[in-house]
Amino acid sequence: MAHKPEELQEVLHYTFKNPALLRIALTHTSYANESKVATTHNERLEFLGDSVLSVVVADYLFHQSGRPEGELTRMRASLVSEDALFQFAQEIQLGEYLRLGHGEDLGGGRSRPSVVSDAFEAVIAALYLDGGMEAARNFILPFITEGKTAEDDYKTRLQEVVQQDPSAVLKYEVTGETGPDHNKQFTVCVWRNGELLAEGRGRSKKAAEQHAAKVALEKLQ
């Protein structure tokens, strides 16, 4: 059972002055095509949201890092990729709020990365149009400053340290899950050859894994 678009406002911690913008952001082309009345879908908002996201991410990386242009470009690409946006969207269960056509819904559209990541960009545009750059930035920043970023990929760094011993094997395991669906907290343990290295927490499994890897690195180094 899909959630109503209006219910997403609680998850976003933002109340729209024009709720129609949020409804459009969550409306897939398949829904508009099947509708008996003229319905606006989210493709134009997706176009705008892509640009707003890119500006917010670029601004954040520019001020947080003194790295050269090439590295900044790579880091931005990592954070605005479909994979990253799909992960961010899953953290707020965005797929559950989408208005999809019957066939798209039955075909698994709510968990399709292309559909969900496009809607994530459309939601950014809706926030931008309704509340300006500040509203969009407030929504985007918690996602890009927590968990995996190209700047702080602790899992990769831990793997590199551990692989100095070729027989070493790392394993991540979710050991806890608390909180309501829209505000979950995960606990993850990282093991090396069966030995507990560290425990981490985050609002997604990936964020918790990164935190566990960070704690493990601090211990090992």
Side-chain angles (χ1 to χ4, degrees):
M1 179 74 179
H3 301 313
K4 291 178 180 165
E6 295 73 21
E7 294 171 0
L8 185 61
Q9 295 185 91
E10 189 183 328
V11 180
L12 299 176
H13 306 298
Y14 181 85
T15 303
F16 276 80
K17 297 183 276 293
N18 179 8
L21 280 169
L22 181 59
R23 251 192 328 276
I24 293 168
L26 299 171
T27 302
H28 188 250
T29 48
S30 60
Y31 183 95
N33 292 339
E34 287 182 19
S35 179
K36 300 279 193 295
V37 295
T39 303
T40 308
H41 56 69
N42 63 8
E43 283 186 353
R44 276 170 51 83
L45 284 179
E46 176 206 328
F47 161 79
L48 179 60
D50 178 64
S51 295
V52 173
L53 172 67
S54 196
V55 167
V56 171
V57 170
D59 180 72
Y60 168 76
L61 292 175
F62 181 84
H63 288 101
Q64 291 297 315
S65 168
R67 298 180 189 221
E69 185 264 347
E71 279 191 50
L72 292 176
T73 301
R74 178 179 60 79
M75 289 157 68
R76 181 181 61 188
S78 162
L79 286 167
V80 302
S81 68
E82 185 180 288
D83 281 353
L85 299 188
F86 182 55
Q87 179 193 323
F88 300 158
Q90 283 182 305
E91 290 181 32
I92 57 170
Q93 296 195 306
L94 186 61
E96 298 304 312
Y97 298 90
L98 299 185
R99 301 204 298 171
L100 301 175
H102 187 63
E104 184 67 38
D105 201 355
L106 287 177
R110 294 189 188 282
S111 55
R112 185 169 294 135
S114 58
V115 170
V116 179
S117 60
D118 287 353
F120 189 84
E121 289 180 330
V123 168
I124 290 171
L127 286 163
Y128 170 73
L129 290 171
D130 196 77
M133 188 58 94
E134 200 56 31
R137 184 182 283 110
N138 289 343
F139 172 62
I140 295 164
L141 282 180
F143 293 105
I144 65 172
T145 56
E146 182 180 310
K148 178 177 178 181
T149 70
E151 185 177 14
D152 292 321
D153 187 359
Y154 296 109
K155 282 181 72 178
T156 300
R157 277 159 51 192
L158 179 61
Q159 188 72 31
E160 287 165 356
V161 169
V162 167
Q163 276 180 338
Q164 290 167 12
D165 171 5
S167 67
V169 177
L170 282 178
K171 183 186 172 194
Y172 292 86
E173 183 183 8
V174 178
T175 55
E177 196 176 311
T178 57
D181 281 349
H182 66 272
N183 193 20
K184 273 208 184 308
Q185 180 87 354
F186 293 90
T187 304
V188 165
C189 289
V190 57
W191 308 77
R192 177 179 58 184
N193 294 351
E195 170 206 356
L196 178 63
L197 281 182
E199 186 178 87
R201 289 181 178 80
R203 357 181 256 198
S204 70
K205 290 173 188 172
K206 288 191 177 177
E209 286 173 358
Q210 288 291 335
H211 183 230
K214 181 175 186 241
V215 175
L217 274 169
E218 287 163 358
K219 283 185 181 174
L220 292 174
Q221 292 169 348

